[in-house]
Each structure stands twice: as C-alpha cells, then as structure tokens.
C-alpha cells in the first residue's frame, strides 16, 4: 500500500504554519552515526503506508468512546461560544446524532442558531501526540418519526444504557458536517472535504486496535521493541502501541540518541507486511513479524529466553 498524501492547510501568500524553532546562537552538533539514523528514520516514515486522511478521520470519529465537546453560539452570553461535553453517535455517513434535553443550554443555542462544531478525540487520547478531529456544520432537530426511530437505534448501539433518550423533554438532533479539520499528532494536521468525509468508510481493523494494543503493551512489549528495530531500523528502549489499523500501527517509542544525555519520546508509524482484511489477520501478521524480529529482541529478554 502507498503512503497516503497529507494535505496541510496554508493560506495563499502566508508564511508556512509549521513549528518555528529558534536556534539562533545555538550550535547543534550531531554525532555522524546518529545523523545517519535520523535520515534513515525520516525516509522510512515518509514512505510508511498509512490510511487516507478521510478514512483515518472517519475511523477516529466512528470508534471514539461516544463523547465529545460541542461548541455552540451562546444565547445567554451573546458573542461567546458555549462548550459542553455531550454524547453522540455517528450515522452511516459520519453525521453526529445527539439526544438533548430542552433544559440544556446547548439545546437552546442550537434552536436559535444551528451552527456548531464538535471536537472529537481519539479513544486512546492522552496528549498532543494523539489524534483529534474538529467537525463544523449545522445541527437541526429531526422531526420525522421514522428518522427519529432510526436515530434511536444508532444511538443505542453506541450508548446501550442511554434509557433517558425516551424521556419526553429530549429532542433528536443531527449535524450536517460542512468542514473537517484534524490533528493526528505533531506535524500531522490538515483538513478533508465534507464530500471526502461522507464517502469514507471506517477502517475495518481499527475498531479492534485498543484491545490488541493493550494485550501487546501488557504482555509482549519486548516484541514491539524488536519489530521497531527490524522493520524501521532504529534501536529503542521502549515501544508502546497506541493504535492499529489495516495498514499498520502507531508506536510511541523512547530512545536516547547517540552521544546524548536525554531521552526522546515520539511516535513512529510501523506498517504491517500486508494489508489486513479481517480481525484474525491481526494475530497472524503480528506473530509473523514478531518471529521475524527475534534477533532484535532486547538483550535481557533474549538472554532469559535462551536460559
């Protein structure tokens, strides 16, 4: 599989919006061996297979835990946005569905002005290196009874204990997504069009990622370290899988550069050796890659295995 292009927003005539690091007056001398590692690492990551942006965004929204921050135009405080943590469930086109009480301020806001945004973090979100998506559009109440019934079915699949959606003071809203912005980690930000988002299907393997990642991180962390050494070509002291999809996994690694006295922590893309089609392929491919990486197993683990 080919690496998906990453479109980064930049206004015409403006300076690039990348991080501007002030190195004036700072002499940075990199060990030649470490410099070669950095070049090899950068080249590998540029070519690493990953999901198309629209699919990655759609998957994040689909497999989120079902809660996000909605921002509305405040009626009680004109000119200010109002933010609320709300439950939601995406329909087949990725449009968020909500069940809101008429007593909630965000309900009042949306009835007055349907323009809103929904900020959705990835299920594994822990900090700035993890993914989040900002959906912008218009939310409106669903009044057709058949559509309301369909919305209830979708919502209950995501929130099976949401008995309150049948209360008389709850209204059903659907958000029509018009703009999508995303940040998937450091230097991985951009946008997808509403048409791309609506047409994208969630990655079939990503939904199993959290469970597999936890198992690998708890019981086979050394195998992940070895796979990073084998397939990416860099030695690391720790490797934690943060997410998986049909083309590979994202791994947060920890390493100390040669001739350096401080550790680095960053994410790497580790592609699978083949595209996965179904859940059982995850186990098969990870086992195969782990066995192929045996010579890169951390020394202390390898010695215990031999003993």
């Amino acid at each position: 599989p080919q690496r998906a292009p990453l479109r980064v927003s930049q206004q015409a005539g403006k300076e690039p919006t990348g991080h501007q690091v002030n190195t004036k007056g700072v002499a940075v001398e990199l060990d030649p061996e470490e410099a070669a590692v950095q070049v090899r690492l950068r080249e590998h990551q540029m070519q690493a297979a990953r999901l198309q942006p629209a699919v990655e965004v759609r998957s994040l929204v689909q497999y989120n835990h079902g809660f996000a921050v909605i921002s509305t135009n405040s009626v009680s405080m004109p000119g200010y946005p109002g933010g609320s943590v709300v439950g939601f469930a995406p329909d087949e086109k990725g449009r968020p569905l909500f069940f809101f009480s008429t007593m909630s301020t965000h309900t009042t806001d949306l009835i007055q002005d349907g323009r809103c945004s929904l900020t959705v973090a990835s299920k594994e979100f822990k900090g700035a290196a993890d993914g989040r998506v900002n959906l912008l559009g218009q939310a409106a109440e669903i009044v057709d009874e058949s559509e309301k019934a369909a919305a209830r079915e979708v919502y209950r699949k995501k929130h099976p204990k949401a008995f309150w959606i049948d209360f008389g003071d709850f209204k059903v809203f659907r958000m029509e997504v018009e703009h999508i912005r995303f940040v998937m980690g450091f230097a991985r930000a951009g946008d997808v069009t509403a048409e791309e988002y609506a047409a994208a299907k969630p990655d079939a393997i990503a939904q199993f990622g959290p469970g597999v990642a936890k198992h690998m991180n708890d019981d086979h962390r050394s195998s992940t370290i070895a796979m990073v050494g084998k397939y990416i070509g860099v030695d690391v002291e720790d490797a934690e899988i943060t997410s998986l999809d049909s083309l590979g996994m994202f791994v947060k690694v920890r390493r100390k550069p040669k001739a350096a006295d401080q550790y680095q922590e960053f994410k790497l893309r580790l592609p699978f050796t083949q595209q996965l089609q179904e859940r059982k392929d995850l186990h098969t491919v990870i086992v195969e890659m782990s066995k192929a990486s045996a010579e890169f197993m951390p020394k202390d683990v390898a010695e215990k295995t031999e003993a």
Side-chain angles (χ1 to χ4, degrees):
Q2 297 298 310
R3 173 183 176 272
L6 185 61
R7 181 169 61 250
V8 178
S9 299
Q10 180 180 336
Q11 296 180 356
K14 299 281 187 176
E15 291 294 323
T17 56
H19 300 301
Q20 304 299 307
V21 181
N22 183 10
T23 58
K24 185 177 181 180
V26 179
V28 180
E29 294 186 9
L30 199 60
D31 178 89
E33 186 176 334
E34 176 62 23
V37 171
Q38 296 285 353
V39 170
R40 184 168 65 250
L41 188 59
R42 184 167 57 250
E43 291 177 346
H44 177 276
Q45 292 299 287
M46 288 182 67
Q47 298 301 319
R50 64 187 73 212
L51 300 177
Q52 291 289 329
V55 175
E56 189 171 8
V57 167
R58 183 70 180 81
S59 300
L60 185 152
V61 172
Q62 184 70 31
Y63 303 131
N64 159 276
H65 42 54
F67 293 92
V69 176
I70 192 169
S71 298
T72 55
N73 290 302
S74 178
V75 170
S76 61
M77 292 177 284
Y80 289 91
S84 303
V85 176
V86 299
F88 80 99
D91 68 7
E92 72 283 355
K93 295 182 179 179
R95 298 175 298 183
L97 299 171
F98 311 98
F99 282 79
F100 290 153
S101 168
T102 54
M103 295 186 292
S104 299
T105 56
H106 48 262
T107 308
T108 303
D109 295 343
L110 291 174
I111 291 173
Q112 180 73 24
D113 184 347
R115 291 176 299 172
C116 60
S117 77
L118 189 71
T119 301
V120 186
S122 63
K123 195 170 186 177
E124 68 276 3
F125 188 89
K126 292 181 180 178
D130 299 316
R132 56 272 197 196
V133 171
N134 184 226
L135 306 176
L136 299 92
Q138 303 256 357
E141 182 183 358
I142 298 175
V143 294
D144 180 83
E145 291 301 325
S146 62
E147 290 188 41
K148 288 166 69 174
R152 278 190 174 84
E153 185 177 346
V154 171
Y155 198 88
R156 280 204 173 97
K157 286 181 179 179
K158 194 73 171 178
H159 303 276
K161 296 181 180 180
F163 60 88
W164 38 261
I165 66 175
D166 291 324
F167 288 0
D169 65 317
F170 275 76
K171 293 180 177 292
V172 192
F173 286 81
R174 178 171 57 221
M175 180 180 178
E176 297 292 340
V177 179
E178 299 173 353
H179 307 283
I180 303 97
R181 303 180 297 189
F182 66 87
V183 179
M184 294 301 179
F186 295 115
R188 294 189 62 230
D191 61 274
V192 297
T193 68
E195 293 75 20
E196 290 170 335
Y197 175 77
K201 300 298 181 185
D203 184 78
I205 301 299
Q207 62 182 311
F208 309 119
V212 174
K214 185 179 187 306
H215 172 66
M216 290 295 294
N217 294 334
D218 290 348
D219 301 331
H220 304 287
R221 212 176 186 96
S222 56
S223 293
T224 307
I225 293 173
M227 285 189 283
V228 170
K230 162 73 174 177
Y231 292 98
I232 300 181
V234 59
D235 294 327
V236 298
E237 296 193 23
D238 190 30
E240 176 186 355
I241 299 173
T242 61
S243 62
L244 303 95
D245 55 63
S246 60
L247 297 180
M249 62 183 89
F250 283 102
V251 184
K252 183 173 70 175
V253 302
R254 185 170 184 263
R255 69 181 293 266
K256 183 185 289 185
K258 187 174 179 62
D261 57 0
Q262 292 185 337
Y263 283 94
Q264 297 176 335
E265 270 196 2
F266 53 94
K267 272 189 179 182
L268 291 174
R269 178 66 174 177
L270 175 57
F272 291 132
T273 52
Q274 65 185 65
Q275 185 169 0
L276 311 185
Q277 303 297 328
E278 50 189 342
R279 184 174 186 173
K280 67 180 181 63
D281 295 340
L282 263 174
H283 178 267
T284 301
V285 170
I286 289 177
V287 168
E288 289 175 353
M289 291 176 67
S290 296
K291 289 181 177 179
S293 306
E295 64 179 297
F296 294 89
M297 192 71 72
K299 186 177 180 180
D300 57 336
V301 177
E303 289 175 348
K304 289 179 182 178
T305 303
E306 291 172 0

